[in-house]
Amino acid sequence: MIAKYVLSSTRISWGRWIVRDADMEEVEIRKAPHNLALRQVCAQLTSEIGDWWLRLILFNFEAPETMLDVLTDLPRKTLSKIRHVRVRGDHVPIMWYRGSGRERRYRLHSVVKLLPGLRLDELTVLGNLDPVDNYRTLNELIKEGDGWKKLRYISHNSEMLGYYDRDAGRSRIQARGRISEPAHWQSLLRSRDGEYPDHSVTLYRATIPYYIGAAVDEETREVVEQQLIHRSGDEPVETMTDDSEINKEVLVVVKRGTGADYEVGADSRAVTRDIRRILYGREWSEIRVGSISDILGSYDLPFSYDRSEEFDVIDTVADVYTNVDEYVWTHESDESRLDIPGLAAWCVE
């Protein structure tokens, strides 16, 4: 069916890319023109498809806060029909003013707990620029993450394969170590899905350095398994993190076992650094603020600050692409803050 092919090749995007220059300027992206034209202009096609388009298109978010802004606004019935999401692997900072003010940061495995009913066929995560943080985020998604049947985690280079999080309390240099992957990730998944023998973790690495998209292209990637080479008196050394090899993208594909319960439950078990604990029963929309003046008189309550007003939008560009898998690496993805148009108004309930 033509409509199914077209919609499967469609993505809708929300967010901003920060352009790191002297003025901290940003480029805002918006939905690609005509990306739902088939559904909007053809009544007969709409009657045939119904809400199936939700299962076909890719929902693309430039930050986890954006994902929460959009998806928490949907009825659970609608949310449960979405099958494909892509998001940046940044933290969600939650702040509150007590004394001089404090901030806690939450990773994706915790953030998705605010989306009960989410049961994606595929979640794609574009890692940030910190190799240690990438490694920890992926570990936690495999060990405790819900809401996806298949996870694709993409790193802009191979550096995260050189880090093992032995003790988060130590400095980065002290915590530096090596561990074989994907064997370790497979052991984490086995602890969850051991009764389902078809679970798997596959590590792909680009064959071309400095090539955006090489890790997701079957022609420019290869399956790899780390072999750690020990040097007397030194840390183990992995050749794929050598200077000549480190600038090759990495893709980790994690598949839950058939029969595994991966839907985000309304009262699912607590996870490491669970974001729900700090909300004190409040909804995401209740803690989201656009300016500091919005929190006056509520200094003891946590809030999420949309900092988009701090930056000037120098351009608004359509999210034009040839393939829905195309992506760019932002210079400072962990500082992206996004403006979100409402989605619920044109979603099928």
Side-chain angles (χ1 to χ4, degrees):
M1 184 178 181
I2 296 176
K4 184 175 181 180
Y5 171 79
V6 172
L7 291 170
S8 298
S9 304
T10 297
R11 75 184 184 204
I12 304 178
S13 299
W14 294 262
R16 279 181 174 160
W17 296 314
I18 288 184
V19 179
R20 299 296 294 180
D21 61 11
D23 298 320
M24 290 287 288
E25 294 176 325
E26 295 183 334
V27 173
E28 184 177 20
I29 61 173
R30 56 182 170 86
K31 297 189 294 291
H34 315 304
N35 57 8
L36 288 181
L38 278 176
R39 186 180 187 277
Q40 294 170 340
V41 304
C42 182
Q44 181 179 352
L45 191 58
T46 299
S47 65
E48 291 180 17
I49 297 176
D51 60 11
W52 269 92
W53 64 276
L54 288 167
R55 295 173 167 85
L56 299 174
I57 68 171
L58 173 65
F59 289 77
N60 180 46
F61 304 103
E62 288 298 310
E65 297 99 317
T66 313
M67 179 178 69
L68 291 177
D69 288 338
V70 173
L71 298 186
T72 58
D73 198 33
L74 301 179
R76 179 167 178 165
K77 181 180 178 181
T78 301
L79 179 64
S80 66
K81 295 174 183 176
I82 294 174
R83 291 292 179 263
H84 305 277
V85 166
R86 188 173 77 184
V87 64
R88 301 277 174 183
D90 303 321
H91 294 160
V92 170
I94 302 294
M95 294 158 278
W96 69 98
Y97 285 106
R98 292 176 180 171
S100 59
R102 286 190 282 178
E103 175 183 287
R104 290 183 182 175
R105 296 188 166 212
Y106 296 87
R107 293 193 175 94
L108 281 175
H109 77 289
S110 174
V111 169
V112 296
K113 294 296 183 180
L114 298 181
L115 299 170
L118 188 70
R119 51 190 325 267
L120 303 173
D121 285 346
E122 184 173 274
L123 170 64
T124 300
V125 179
L126 299 178
N128 62 36
L129 303 186
D130 185 329
V132 178
D133 189 56
N134 270 337
Y135 191 80
R136 293 175 182 173
T137 297
L138 179 54
N139 280 352
E140 290 166 348
L141 281 168
I142 296 173
K143 186 177 180 180
E144 301 184 290
D146 285 321
W148 48 268
K149 185 189 324 185
K150 176 181 177 182
L151 169 69
R152 300 194 309 164
Y153 197 99
I154 307 171
S155 172
H156 72 292
N157 65 20
S158 303
E159 191 173 2
M160 80 167 185
L161 297 176
Y163 290 90
Y164 168 49
D165 182 20
R166 294 187 304 202
D167 185 350
R170 293 180 172 181
S171 71
R172 178 176 302 178
I173 298 300
Q174 290 174 316
R176 184 169 182 167
R178 307 283 180 177
I179 190 169
S180 296
E181 299 296 1
H184 167 246
W185 291 322
Q186 185 67 48
S187 69
L188 293 179
L189 189 59
R190 189 181 304 117
S191 67
R192 305 184 70 184
D193 292 354
E195 60 185 295
Y196 310 110
D198 58 342
H199 65 272
S200 65
V201 182
T202 307
L203 173 60
Y204 297 95
R205 187 162 173 265
T207 56
I208 306 172
Y210 300 106
Y211 188 91
I212 298 176
V216 298
D217 187 339
E218 293 182 357
E219 300 297 321
T220 54
R221 74 182 188 193
E222 59 185 355
V223 176
V224 297
E225 293 187 5
Q226 284 188 295
Q227 300 296 323
L228 304 186
I229 305 170
H230 290 263
R231 293 176 180 169
S232 178
D234 295 329
E235 292 280 355
V237 174
E238 168 53 57
T239 55
M240 69 176 64
T241 59
D242 287 349
D243 289 343
S244 60
E245 293 289 323
I246 200 169
N247 292 298
K248 293 180 179 180
E249 287 185 341
V250 165
L251 166 66
V252 181
V253 177
V254 184
K255 296 180 180 180
R256 301 291 304 273
T258 301
D261 182 11
Y262 58 88
E263 181 175 331
V264 178
D267 299 308
S268 57
R269 65 181 181 83
V271 296
T272 306
R273 194 174 278 266
D274 197 316
I275 193 173
R276 293 170 294 182
R277 293 173 180 166
I278 201 174
L279 298 188
Y280 304 116
R282 303 168 78 203
E283 300 294 332
W284 172 255
S285 59
E286 295 180 86
I287 73 163
R288 195 76 160 126
V289 299
S291 67
I292 295 298
S293 61
D294 293 339
I295 65 166
L296 294 178
S298 303
Y299 291 110
D300 288 334
L301 296 177
F303 66 93
S304 172
Y305 181 27
D306 179 1
R307 297 176 178 171
S308 59
E309 295 180 3
E310 297 178 2
F311 308 104
D312 296 324
V313 179
I314 58 175
D315 196 10
T316 300
V317 296
D319 181 25
V320 179
Y321 50 87
T322 303
N323 186 296
V324 291
D325 270 337
E326 293 174 4
Y327 50 84
V328 298
W329 295 113
T330 60
H331 296 293
E332 292 287 347
S333 61
D334 61 321
E335 294 189 19
S336 295
R337 294 296 182 269
L338 316 171
D339 286 342
I340 319 303
L343 177 65
W346 50 272
C347 266
V348 178
E349 298 189 8

